[in-house]
Amino acid sequence: MERPAWAPRSIDISVPSVSRIYDYYLGGSYNFEVDREAARRAMEFMPGLPKISQANRAFMRRAVRYAVGEGITQFLDIGSGIPTFGNVHEVAQAASPGARVVYVDHDPVAVAHSEAVLADNADADVVAADLRKPQEILGSPQVEQLIDLERPVALLLVALLHFVQDADDPYAAVAEFGAALAPGSLLVLTHASYEGIPLPPERAEGAVDVYKDIRNPLVMRSRAEIERFFEGYDMVEPGLVPMPHWRPDTAPEDEDPWAFSGFAGVGRTA
């Protein structure tokens, strides 16, 4: 297997990665054959996975613009993945020059690319870390340098929490971040669910099994389970809804049916 020049030496290119699979769904080029193969296997069961990924990105951009409109100019994007067109720093800094962004990911390819993309951007940086260790992220030099936790922050957890199993207690991690945020901060998240998928759950389960096979289990939670992440937050209208229904730019009825898979929401700390 040929190692591309951009691939960090430290990574095993024979093992698929969820961030590189996501990059493939979005039409990116920072993925290996092993990622493409896993993606194609998952798409045999859920052909709409690229559409779901695009709906996630579109929601993220709307949520970032909303945050800037609310006067928030600091963004902490955890599970940020491989930079693609219309990333958080591009959207935020276009709307508010000088907006500060820290990306966090544990995939070395995602981190290496983020470093390359942000090399000339004094107001954005990346941390190699994991959501499950909030203090490592909050205490990182990058966060300490760019993010003032005494002022409101938008915390983005987009298409991330469904890769954190219950045994790793994602609720505790999200609560720990919430406790560190100033009043008026926003929690922005999306989460996969069997609700809204235009397929019988047993068919969609085939795609979930592919993620299990590559040791990155996809945890499908119910709407009620996803709502629990927002305990202690006031939900921003229209609440926890399918992605195209969250403050849409275009008519939701024009969207692909797959875009309605899972839920998106934004909450505000009191």
Side-chain angles (χ1 to χ4, degrees):
M1 194 182 312
E2 193 70 11
R3 177 182 294 272
W6 51 261
R9 286 259 150 241
S10 57
I11 63 165
D12 182 348
I13 63 173
S14 67
V15 178
S17 125
V18 291
S19 65
R20 298 193 308 262
I21 290 171
Y22 192 67
D23 178 66
Y24 174 76
Y25 293 150
L26 291 169
S29 52
Y30 294 107
N31 47 73
F32 307 130
E33 185 50 40
V34 66
D35 307 308
R36 297 188 281 276
E37 196 182 304
R40 289 190 290 261
R41 283 211 322 273
M43 285 164 65
E44 281 171 23
F45 299 98
M46 285 176 63
L49 281 163
K51 283 286 173 217
I52 297 172
S53 304
Q54 288 158 19
N56 266 287
R57 300 289 299 182
F59 160 76
M60 177 272 286
R61 291 192 282 268
R62 296 196 304 277
V64 168
R65 287 194 291 268
Y66 169 80
V68 171
E70 295 292 296
I72 295 178
T73 56
Q74 309 188 97
F75 297 84
L76 182 57
D77 182 4
I78 304 180
S80 49
I82 292 163
T84 53
F85 172 73
N87 249 38
V88 173
H89 72 279
E90 292 173 340
V91 178
Q93 291 172 352
S96 176
R100 295 180 157 203
V101 179
V102 175
Y103 292 113
V104 180
D105 209 287
H106 62 55
D107 182 305
V109 171
V111 173
H113 276 292
S114 300
E115 286 170 346
V117 166
L118 303 172
D120 301 324
N121 193 323
D123 294 316
D125 209 340
V126 61
V127 182
D130 192 306
L131 167 87
R132 292 168 293 191
K133 296 181 176 164
Q135 293 313 318
E136 277 184 22
I137 295 170
L138 294 166
S140 66
Q142 296 91 327
V143 168
E144 289 187 344
Q145 188 185 343
L146 287 177
I147 306 286
D148 176 2
L149 292 170
E150 302 295 310
R151 289 175 40 241
V153 175
L155 171 66
L156 286 84
L157 305 174
V158 176
L160 168 68
L161 292 166
H162 45 237
F163 291 114
V164 186
Q165 296 175 77
D166 289 338
D168 289 322
D169 203 350
Y171 295 104
V174 172
E176 201 171 325
F177 279 107
L181 300 178
S185 293
L186 298 177
L187 170 62
V188 175
L189 72 76
T190 65
H191 199 298
S193 177
Y194 284 122
E195 295 172 47
I197 291 179
L199 270 186
E202 51 279 8
R203 179 110 181 101
E205 263 169 30
V208 174
D209 287 343
V210 171
Y211 281 92
K212 214 176 278 173
D213 290 346
I214 65 167
R215 297 190 181 82
N216 276 295
L218 185 57
V219 185
M220 303 296 251
R221 293 188 173 97
S222 68
R223 188 177 186 280
E225 287 170 325
I226 298 165
E227 258 178 341
R228 271 187 58 204
F229 287 112
F230 288 103
E231 275 176 15
Y233 290 84
D234 295 324
M235 293 303 287
V236 169
E237 282 296 321
L240 187 64
V241 292
M243 293 176 284
H245 286 304
W246 199 89
R247 297 176 176 254
D249 295 330
T250 52
E253 50 272 23
D254 295 341
E255 286 283 351
D256 187 286
W258 282 96
F260 297 85
S261 307
F263 292 98
V266 176
R268 182 182 279 105
T269 53

